Amino acid sequence: MSFATDIKRLSSSDDGFPQTLRQLLAFEASEDAAIDQSVVQILQAVKTRGDAAVLEYTQKFDRLGVDAVSALEIPTSELQAALASLPAERRQALEAAAARVRAYHEVQKRECGSAGFSYTEADGTVLGQKVTPLDRVGIYVPGGKAAYPSSVLMNAIPAKVAGVQEIIMVVPTPDGVRNPLVLAAAAIAGVDRVFTIGGAQAVGALAYGTESIPQVDKIVGPGNAYVANAKRRVFGTVGIDMIAGPSEILVLCDGTTDPDWVAMDLFSQAEHDELAQSILLCPNAEYLDQVHASIDKLITTMPRAEIIRTSLRDRGALILVRDMQEACDIANDIAAEHLEISAEEPQQWADQIRHAGAMFLGRYSSESLGDYCAGPNHVLPTSRTARFSSPLGVYDFQKRSSMIQVSEQGAQSLGKIAAELAYGEGLPAHARSAELRLK
Amino acid sequence: MSFATDIKRLSSSDDGFPQTLRQLLAFEASEDAAIDQSVVQILQAVKTRGDAAVLEYTQKFDRLGVDAVSALEIPTSELQAALASLPAERRQALEAAAARVRAYHEVQKRECGSAGFSYTEADGTVLGQKVTPLDRVGIYVPGGKAAYPSSVLMNAIPAKVAGVQEIIMVVPTPDGVRNPLVLAAAAIAGVDRVFTIGGAQAVGALAYGTESIPQVDKIVGPGNAYVANAKRRVFGTVGIDMIAGPSEILVLCDGTTDPDWVAMDLFSQAEHDELAQSILLCPNAEYLDQVHASIDKLITTMPRAEIIRTSLRDRGALILVRDMQEACDIANDIAAEHLEISAEEPQQWADQIRHAGAMFLGRYSSESLGDYCAGPNHVLPTSRTARFSSPLGVYDFQKRSSMIQVSEQGAQSLGKIAAELAYGEGLPAHARSAELRLK
């Protein structure tokens, strides 16, 4: 059979398949010395000159010539006006999505140990952990073509549910062009203040604070290479979320799902950008042909066909596997951001999966439902980082403090152990501090 | 009154106190271009040349001339032999500490949502989150003077409790000198493999893997400036813990604790190194004088007196506050790594604290007990990062995956919402993917 659309056709029994797969997955954000240097300068300027530097860079990069940072703040009334201006259907969809995302994260808050814990030992010593929300959080929202209101909801709502007191959003508006859907989403999500600034200068303003922009404790949200570089640099002064790579979907299919559905699911990832990655694993060679045929048939109907073609050609693959068990093993190696298990009785395969940002089980769970409104967060670990990191969640906007209340009796037994080890480590003041509490 | 020991005496009612406090707290790891460049080279070499590069750098920096990385691995039998060789008292202390740390982290595991969650909506849609341990973790243990067996316990035990399958420890042994207490701690903590490598080359080996050293999913543990720089650079390829700054203690005292005890607690931080920070807040001026007198009296008895003197002079402070409530407000601003509330009824003040790595309540809870054996982790956020981060814990060795199983009925209502929003964001394949599931 021959197909019109260029996408890699691989088999797990090919010679050198593990290496081929590794190459397919390989992605490294290019390190650009010019960006590096520029970001260092911008951060330094914002740190030392505050508002003045923010105004200069915003004039230079976004062509917004204003006299004061206050002129770059969008008042809450304007966010509400943007919400009121939406067509009814769109507003309802946004509000329904927000309500579902909020409901899920409220369950998550209850289930992720937000109450902390405390227990008392026999000698009266009390140990535990206290969980508290962050005070103030910054959300970076990209301007221009990648301006996604759904991202505003996904970043702001978990912070609100966690109990963060103040959410500051920054969004660049080159030439003053504002996206009403993004502003409406900010209103629905309960964002407290919005500044129309972007780039490394916005990251610097949030990390260090300026005369007009308050310092935050953590910065979340996606951005371009300058924003990612700046976030990496301010990490430690403030918290940051993961630095996101290109988006990915991995579909595990047993060959029982309508091939058109799977083809469209692959497109839904590929349409993001040329670097997005769409991979299908299936033990049925004939079914892979059917999906390939569906791709050929459907791609011509897609408005973003050129992006999809490039993404599928450069980074996509239809892979024949021996069986679904092998598909699960490969999926654990890929550790995909989005994993669809489009199969009969999907739970049996989900039980085998150790590494994935989000799992979509059964053929009705298209990734797009999760992207917008199923409830779980759509900010997910990319580029194999699901091996060690998690979806954005309420827990990202909380932190813990250990609680230690040693009783007089407890200080006797613990003091001897501590002193013995402290002397062993050559730290005599530690030892003496414990010994002073001995009777 | 005049005192022999040089330590800042401040009052919260001094003019410009907030600025003075800010300057006192200011600490920024120096960015050293030479270290930067060296680390880039080392990481690149290890990434491309694997074992060969690790051997070269280990020969160069640690003067260990061996032919193969296998000769740098310490077999388990040798860890056990190190444990067997310890004096009985020290071994018992180490085992008692490990047992308490394990017990605390087992409670933490139970209480931090490790079971995940799942709930079913009215239309049959199932949402939830699955929690899994990381597969393999690397622990960096510094060699030489800062070789702390307690750190081995504190880093390895939470990983074990989380269910991590394999723990790889790296520890440099310049000139082949091994620390038996560190190796014994590795045996007790259940470390699986130990390599005598260090520096950026060890971080690179763990992050990228070599022929002989397996790639890990996360690297934790303290190190020098090269190690910290390398960890920051490999962040994203693997997970890392926080980059630790100098250690800090903040004591809030109501004036009712033996001033010798408080003086020694301040010493126990100051003896770590010259950059360590010890601060006391108290509403009683006379009591501050008493503590200052205790410092004068006790410092002459301390083996590490010179380090303590420098640390207290450059970074320490005794601060008079209006009342304990103000002390709590200042403590929230400082967001200290270690916070001792040495007071009658300490819980009332602990309730006011939002930001601290660990709180030590009551006068018997010296920080040193927490450093070794109370149970909670001694790896804590420094340099005001307690505003947004947490003690090392079981949760650092777990990650979450969202679970989404949309029912056929659920796909009808969710599909309409998702399609509406996807069209709004200009992502038609997302919309079509949802619409294909509509009846």
Side-chain angles (χ1 to χ4, degrees):
Chain A
M1 273 176 103
S2 81
F3 298 98
T5 314
D6 197 2
I7 181 170
K8 281 184 194 63
R9 295 291 299 261
L10 305 172
S11 164
S12 63
S13 35
D14 293 342
D15 280 350
F17 173 73
Q19 291 71 37
T20 309
L21 180 63
R22 191 61 61 195
Q23 278 165 19
L24 183 69
L25 299 177
F27 172 80
E28 240 174 309
S30 56
E31 291 188 12
D32 184 318
I35 291 178
D36 224 42
Q37 214 173 358
S38 168
V39 168
V40 170
Q41 270 178 16
I42 294 170
L43 290 179
Q44 187 57 31
V46 172
K47 191 174 181 180
T48 52
R49 296 194 295 114
D51 280 358
V54 170
L55 287 171
E56 283 166 28
Y57 289 117
T58 304
Q59 161 75 36
K60 180 175 171 189
F61 295 125
D62 297 337
R63 296 162 299 283
L64 295 186
V66 298
D67 292 334
V69 170
S70 59
L72 297 174
E73 184 167 1
I74 303 183
T76 311
S77 59
E78 216 169 306
L79 306 181
Q80 292 298 336
L83 180 58
S85 76
L86 292 187
E89 286 220 333
R90 195 143 289 174
R91 178 182 176 150
Q92 283 156 16
L94 208 54
E95 286 176 337
R100 290 190 57 89
V101 171
R102 194 174 296 118
Y104 176 86
H105 287 84
E106 274 164 3
V107 176
Q108 185 183 64
K109 182 181 181 183
R110 203 169 61 227
E111 299 289 342
C112 75
S114 294
F117 64 89
S118 175
Y119 61 96
T120 305
E121 299 188 304
D123 63 18
T125 294
V126 182
L127 301 175
Q129 203 161 44
K130 177 176 175 174
V131 182
T132 42
L134 277 61
D135 282 351
R136 193 188 283 130
V137 163
I139 296 182
Y140 191 95
V141 177
K145 61 172 182 170
Y148 295 142
S150 56
S151 285
V152 176
L153 301 184
M154 294 292 183
N155 280 283
I157 289 173
K160 275 301 227 197
V161 171
V164 170
Q165 288 162 36
E166 193 174 15
I167 299 176
I168 314 279
M169 180 172 123
V170 293
V171 54
T173 55
D175 302 308
V177 178
R178 297 175 178 184
N179 181 332
L181 210 47
V182 162
L183 301 187
I188 289 174
V191 167
D192 295 285
R193 300 179 71 180
V194 178
F195 293 92
T196 58
I197 58 174
Q201 60 275 19
V203 174
L206 292 171
Y208 306 124
T210 70
E211 301 89 323
S212 306
I213 301 167
Q215 185 188 33
V216 302
D217 300 304
K218 186 166 190 166
I219 302 174
V220 298
N224 64 19
Y226 289 84
V227 172
N229 189 307
K231 279 170 67 181
R232 192 180 279 267
R233 285 181 183 279
V234 299
F235 171 58
T237 302
V238 294
I240 62 168
D241 57 355
M242 289 296 301
I243 310 260
S247 196
E248 317 141 9
I249 191 171
L250 175 66
V251 182
L252 264 57
C253 186
D254 61 2
T256 64
T257 303
D258 185 332
D260 282 1
W261 294 17
V262 170
M264 193 60 75
D265 293 354
L266 298 174
F267 288 177
S268 76
Q269 199 56 248
E271 77 173 341
H272 271 295
D273 61 71
E274 290 82 354
L275 289 171
Q277 185 155 57
S278 305
I279 297 177
L280 168 62
L281 301 180
C282 178
N284 180 334
E286 200 181 321
Y287 182 79
L288 289 172
D289 283 343
Q290 290 169 14
V291 172
H292 207 157
S294 289
I295 289 174
D296 284 354
K297 175 185 72 183
L298 295 169
I299 201 166
T300 57
T301 70
M302 301 313 301
R304 295 166 73 90
E306 276 322 295
I307 294 172
I308 294 173
R309 267 185 225 284
T310 308
S311 163
L312 293 183
R313 183 192 67 209
D314 294 348
R315 304 210 70 220
L318 307 178
I319 304 179
L320 180 66
V321 292
R322 291 178 184 82
D323 50 33
M324 285 294 282
Q325 182 55 56
E326 189 188 41
C328 291
D329 295 342
I330 295 172
N332 278 322
D333 190 34
I334 293 178
E337 182 189 13
H338 304 98
L339 175 67
E340 278 187 19
I341 305 180
S342 202
E344 299 285 346
E345 297 185 49
Q347 188 63 52
Q348 60 179 318
W349 310 122
D351 289 343
Q352 309 289 319
I353 301 297
R354 299 194 310 283
H355 311 303
M359 295 188 225
F360 298 79
L361 277 62
R363 62 181 59 94
Y364 284 97
S365 307
S366 71
E367 187 211 307
S368 60
L369 301 182
D371 287 341
Y372 290 106
C373 57
N377 211 288
H378 80 192
V379 180
L380 296 167
T382 61
S383 308
R384 302 191 70 228
T385 59
R387 291 178 297 127
F388 55 83
S389 57
S390 302
L392 190 73
V394 169
Y395 36 77
D396 287 301
F397 300 102
Q398 298 174 321
K399 71 281 188 315
R400 299 159 190 264
S401 302
S402 301
M403 305 296 288
I404 301 173
Q405 182 157 16
V406 179
S407 67
E408 183 174 354
Q409 198 190 329
Q412 309 309 308
S413 54
L414 294 183
K416 288 177 198 116
I417 299 170
E420 175 66 30
L421 293 174
Y423 285 123
E425 291 188 351
L427 294 173
H430 283 68
R432 294 286 302 132
S433 167
E435 286 170 343
L436 284 177
R437 269 87 176 176
L438 298 180
K439 273 190 255 190
Chain B
M1 275 174 101
S2 81
F3 299 97
T5 314
D6 197 3
I7 181 169
K8 281 183 193 65
R9 296 290 300 260
L10 305 172
S11 164
S12 63
S13 34
D14 292 343
D15 280 349
F17 173 73
Q19 290 72 37
T20 309
L21 180 64
R22 190 63 58 194
Q23 278 164 20
L24 184 68
L25 301 177
F27 172 80
E28 240 173 309
S30 56
E31 291 188 12
D32 183 317
I35 291 179
D36 223 41
Q37 212 170 2
S38 171
V39 168
V40 169
Q41 268 176 18
I42 294 170
L43 290 179
Q44 186 58 29
V46 172
K47 191 175 182 181
T48 52
R49 297 193 295 115
D51 279 359
V54 171
L55 287 171
E56 283 167 28
Y57 289 116
T58 304
Q59 160 76 34
K60 180 175 171 189
F61 296 124
D62 297 338
R63 298 161 299 282
L64 295 186
V66 297
D67 292 333
V69 169
S70 58
L72 298 173
E73 184 165 2
I74 304 183
T76 311
S77 59
E78 214 169 305
L79 306 182
Q80 291 298 336
L83 180 58
S85 76
L86 292 187
E89 286 220 336
R90 195 143 290 174
R91 177 181 176 149
Q92 282 157 16
L94 208 52
E95 284 175 339
R100 289 190 58 87
V101 171
R102 195 175 294 117
Y104 176 85
H105 287 85
E106 273 164 4
V107 177
Q108 186 183 62
K109 181 182 183 183
R110 203 168 61 227
E111 299 289 341
C112 75
S114 293
F117 65 89
S118 175
Y119 61 97
T120 305
E121 299 188 305
D123 63 19
T125 294
V126 182
L127 301 176
Q129 203 160 43
K130 177 175 174 173
V131 182
T132 42
L134 275 61
D135 282 351
R136 193 188 284 128
V137 163
I139 296 183
Y140 191 97
V141 178
K145 62 171 182 170
Y148 295 143
S150 57
S151 286
V152 176
L153 302 183
M154 293 291 183
N155 280 281
I157 289 174
K160 275 300 226 198
V161 171
V164 170
Q165 290 162 37
E166 193 175 15
I167 299 177
I168 315 279
M169 181 172 123
V170 293
V171 55
T173 56
D175 300 309
V177 179
R178 295 174 180 187
N179 181 331
L181 211 47
V182 162
L183 300 186
I188 290 174
V191 167
D192 295 285
R193 300 179 71 181
V194 178
F195 293 93
T196 58
I197 57 175
Q201 59 275 20
V203 174
L206 292 171
Y208 306 125
T210 71
E211 301 89 322
S212 306
I213 300 167
Q215 184 187 35
V216 302
D217 300 303
K218 187 166 189 166
I219 302 174
V220 299
N224 63 18
Y226 289 85
V227 172
N229 189 307
K231 279 170 67 182
R232 193 181 278 267
R233 284 181 182 279
V234 300
F235 171 57
T237 300
V238 295
I240 61 168
D241 57 355
M242 287 298 300
I243 310 261
S247 197
E248 316 142 11
I249 192 171
L250 175 66
V251 182
L252 263 57
C253 186
D254 60 3
T256 64
T257 304
D258 184 331
D260 282 0
W261 295 16
V262 169
M264 193 59 76
D265 293 354
L266 298 174
F267 288 177
S268 75
Q269 200 56 246
E271 77 172 341
H272 271 295
D273 62 71
E274 291 82 354
L275 290 170
Q277 184 154 58
S278 304
I279 298 176
L280 168 62
L281 302 181
C282 177
N284 180 334
E286 200 180 321
Y287 181 79
L288 289 172
D289 283 343
Q290 290 169 15
V291 171
H292 207 157
S294 290
I295 289 174
D296 284 353
K297 175 184 71 182
L298 294 170
I299 200 164
T300 57
T301 70
M302 300 312 303
R304 297 165 73 88
E306 276 322 297
I307 294 173
I308 295 173
R309 267 185 224 285
T310 309
S311 163
L312 293 183
R313 182 193 66 210
D314 294 348
R315 305 211 70 219
L318 307 178
I319 304 178
L320 180 66
V321 292
R322 291 178 183 84
D323 50 32
M324 285 295 282
Q325 181 56 55
E326 188 189 39
C328 292
D329 295 341
I330 294 173
N332 278 323
D333 190 33
I334 293 178
E337 182 190 13
H338 305 99
L339 175 68
E340 279 187 20
I341 305 179
S342 203
E344 299 284 347
E345 297 186 48
Q347 188 62 52
Q348 60 179 318
W349 310 122
D351 290 343
Q352 310 288 319
I353 301 297
R354 298 194 311 282
H355 311 303
M359 295 188 225
F360 298 79
L361 276 61
R363 62 180 60 93
Y364 284 97
S365 307
S366 71
E367 187 210 306
S368 59
L369 302 182
D371 287 342
Y372 290 107
C373 56
N377 211 288
H378 81 190
V379 180
L380 296 167
T382 60
S383 307
R384 301 190 72 228
T385 60
R387 292 178 295 127
F388 54 85
S389 57
S390 303
L392 191 71
V394 169
Y395 36 78
D396 287 302
F397 300 102
Q398 298 173 321
K399 72 287 190 304
R400 299 158 190 264
S401 302
S402 301
M403 305 297 286
I404 302 173
Q405 182 157 16
V406 179
S407 67
E408 184 175 352
Q409 197 190 331
Q412 310 309 308
S413 53
L414 295 183
K416 288 179 199 114
I417 299 169
E420 175 67 29
L421 294 174
Y423 285 123
E425 291 189 350
L427 294 172
H430 283 68
R432 293 286 301 133
S433 167
E435 286 171 343
L436 284 177
R437 269 87 174 174
L438 298 180
K439 273 188 257 191

